[in-house]
Amino acid sequence: MIPGTQSSGEDTDQQLIERWRAGDSRAATKIVSRHADALARFASSSGEREEIEELVQDTFVRAFGSLDSFRGDSSLRTWLFTIERRLMLDRRRAEMRQRTMVPIESMDAATEYDALDGLLADETENRVRKAVDSLSPKQREIFLLRVEQGLSYREIAAVVGSTEGAARVHYHNAMRAVKEFLDD
Amino acid sequence: MIDCIDEGVRDALPDFVHGKLSELDRATLTAHVEGCGACSAEVALLRAVRSSASMAPAIDVARIVASLPVSLRIADVGALDHHSRPKGADAANAAGRRALWRIAAAVAVISLAGLSVVMGNRNESDSVAAAAGNSAPGVLPGTEVAQPGAPRQQAVVEGAAGTEGRAVAEGGGVAEGGAVASAAGAARSTSPGIDQSNDVPAFAIVAGLENLSDEHLELLLNEMDTIESIPSSEPEGVALPLENLEGIE
């Protein structure tokens, strides 16, 4: 059981999966309700600006279509993040092919949130967001999985296809970079 | 902004912010943060990052659920404890079973329909070939000749072909195309009464080439040499006046 994914007394994700496999569609509703917002935030934090709901929907469709391959080694949320991350990478690759644009690495989000900056009423939050956006894509992804989603280093490693140690190093480097940005 | 020297504590701060620590760990960390300026500042930063990240749009859960694949793993249902099965599961599984039975019934009906069509075609072909073989005097001995292009509704043989030894084609046996067999096309070149307007040899030899005489075989080969290609359209039937066929054999 992953802390924060369900409160005590509620079915675990694994129990809900079994209920869905038995034909209980309400279990699917509970699973989607439980994880949809986190997936949307992860997509938004990763720089997705358009069709986030479609992305979340595709993530669930793909996940439910291959639930048989979910062994439960990781949490369901981690698995969902992994699927969503692959979908986002596919999207970006497709966009790159369409626009014959610069590589992903140069798609730093320094300006990606400009349109939304005005919505951030609090100046502190605005500066924090810019500090996060100044991180490299890899650092930002790991930093936000740790801070926004609360994933452990082990779960982060599973999502991004890295090691627990590497995830930890990236997180601390990112934290240091954010602090330096804010100190300037 | 300085860092706390206790990396273990710093590692745990995100979990502290997310409330994922045990009560004991939470109490310990709370005490540390209250006395550590660096950790206090970092906790404030972590909370600011979290609050600045709530830019995701609202998600329509019902729409997503409606798009999900339906679980039809009926076999798994039996393995579940009946009492622990959710109320909606029985209805969903019954619906799933009904759907499967409907699909199976549809497949069976389609298969039967296809089989009957195939059998019908085979019977008609057999009757045409049999009629031709039994009745047409122009057919060479031991050679079954059929007219694949002849319209089925016209392939009606009047009279008892088997008893009288000949079949009379409907419509007089001329160009309207009856059930009369042509003598493998070879007869056409030797029978003046045949409708020569039909240049496409409307025959099919289904057996007995070895029974042809050398003369007929040569005629057949000559006829085949004139065939340029397989006709793309269904050939018209050829009807032979019976009086002109009697001399062939």
Side-chain angles (χ1 to χ4, degrees):
Chain A
M1 171 176 157
I2 295 303
T5 56
Q6 63 267 329
S7 59
S8 59
E10 289 188 5
D11 288 330
T12 64
D13 286 338
Q14 196 62 44
Q15 288 170 330
L16 290 175
I17 289 170
E18 290 304 318
R19 282 174 52 190
W20 178 77
R21 283 173 172 160
D24 182 5
S25 61
R26 292 175 304 172
T29 303
K30 285 190 176 181
I31 290 174
V32 173
S33 300
R34 184 174 287 173
H35 300 291
D37 287 342
L39 289 171
R41 282 198 304 273
F42 179 47
S44 178
S45 300
S46 300
E48 292 294 326
R49 282 289 161 268
E50 296 176 355
E51 299 178 340
I52 288 181
E53 183 166 347
E54 283 70 17
L55 178 66
V56 174
Q57 177 175 322
D58 290 346
T59 302
F60 279 112
V61 168
R62 188 165 293 195
F64 276 82
S66 58
L67 265 181
D68 286 338
S69 66
F70 176 63
R71 300 185 303 273
D73 295 338
S74 62
S75 72
L76 179 63
R77 177 166 291 188
T78 302
W79 190 56
L80 291 171
F81 279 142
T82 306
I83 294 172
E84 186 180 41
R85 184 174 181 273
R86 285 199 201 111
L87 291 174
M88 286 191 288
L89 290 174
D90 289 345
R91 270 190 179 189
R92 291 181 187 184
R93 287 194 191 103
E95 287 173 2
M96 279 177 59
R97 280 194 293 271
Q98 281 183 348
R99 303 176 191 170
T100 58
M101 54 191 297
V102 292
I104 290 176
E105 281 70 27
S106 64
M107 292 173 60
D108 279 354
T111 59
E112 285 183 351
Y113 293 87
D114 286 352
L116 297 172
D117 283 349
L119 300 175
L120 295 173
D122 189 86
E123 180 61 23
T124 303
E125 287 183 1
N126 197 353
R127 288 189 64 221
V128 168
R129 176 52 64 190
K130 284 185 176 178
V132 173
D133 292 345
S134 70
L135 299 173
S136 71
K138 188 79 169 178
Q139 280 184 339
R140 186 171 66 248
E141 181 178 46
I142 291 175
F143 182 76
L144 292 176
L145 282 172
R146 180 79 179 120
V147 178
E148 283 187 4
Q149 308 297 339
L151 297 191
S152 67
Y153 294 128
R154 183 181 177 187
E155 290 168 331
I156 292 171
V159 171
V160 303
S162 181
T163 64
E164 200 172 331
R168 188 172 180 276
V169 169
H170 277 301
Y171 168 76
H172 284 292
N173 287 341
M175 177 60 84
R176 188 179 303 114
V178 167
K179 286 178 178 176
E180 287 174 0
F181 184 95
L182 294 173
D183 286 339
D184 286 343
Chain B
M1 202 179 288
I2 59 171
D3 291 336
C4 177
I5 58 172
D6 191 337
E7 282 204 5
V9 169
R10 290 182 59 213
D11 267 342
L13 289 180
D15 296 327
F16 177 74
V17 171
H18 279 270
K20 295 170 71 174
L21 299 175
S22 65
E23 277 193 32
L24 180 62
D25 289 342
R26 182 168 185 80
T28 303
L29 214 62
T30 301
H32 174 89
V33 169
E34 287 175 351
C36 175
C39 284
S40 180
E42 190 160 321
V43 166
L45 175 59
L46 292 172
R47 287 185 172 140
V49 171
R50 285 195 72 191
S51 61
S52 68
S54 56
M55 302 302 298
I59 300 298
D60 185 350
V61 173
R63 189 185 130 193
I64 292 177
V65 171
S67 69
L68 296 179
V70 177
S71 174
L72 284 178
R73 296 185 56 186
I74 297 171
D76 289 350
V77 176
L80 289 178
D81 176 16
H82 182 74
H83 298 292
S84 65
R85 198 178 303 166
K87 289 179 182 176
D90 288 335
N93 291 323
R97 280 191 211 98
R98 280 196 297 274
L100 284 179
W101 278 113
R102 284 179 188 146
I103 293 170
V107 169
V109 168
I110 292 171
S111 300
L112 284 174
L115 189 62
S116 64
V117 169
V118 170
M119 294 300 291
N121 286 343
R122 181 179 295 180
N123 289 339
E124 287 184 17
S125 299
D126 290 347
S127 67
V128 170
N134 289 338
S135 62
V139 176
L140 298 173
T143 304
E144 287 184 44
V145 182
Q147 283 184 294
R152 290 188 187 114
Q153 63 271 24
Q154 293 182 359
V156 178
V157 178
E158 291 182 355
T163 54
E164 294 184 12
R166 76 166 40 181
V168 180
E170 189 181 39
V174 196
E176 289 186 21
V180 179
S182 74
R188 203 172 56 167
S189 60
T190 58
S191 303
I194 296 175
D195 182 5
Q196 296 290 336
S197 64
N198 185 1
D199 290 329
V200 180
F203 61 80
I205 297 174
V206 294
L209 258 182
E210 67 276 9
N211 295 325
L212 288 175
S213 66
D214 291 341
E215 180 185 355
H216 286 125
L217 188 59
E218 188 176 345
L219 287 170
L220 176 62
L221 290 173
N222 289 336
E223 179 68 20
M224 290 176 70
D225 287 339
T226 65
I227 300 174
E228 293 181 354
S229 63
I230 299 172
S232 59
S233 60
E234 194 173 72
E236 294 180 8
V238 175
L240 303 176
L242 296 178
E243 60 272 18
N244 294 330
L245 293 173
E246 291 179 351
I248 293 177
E249 188 171 345

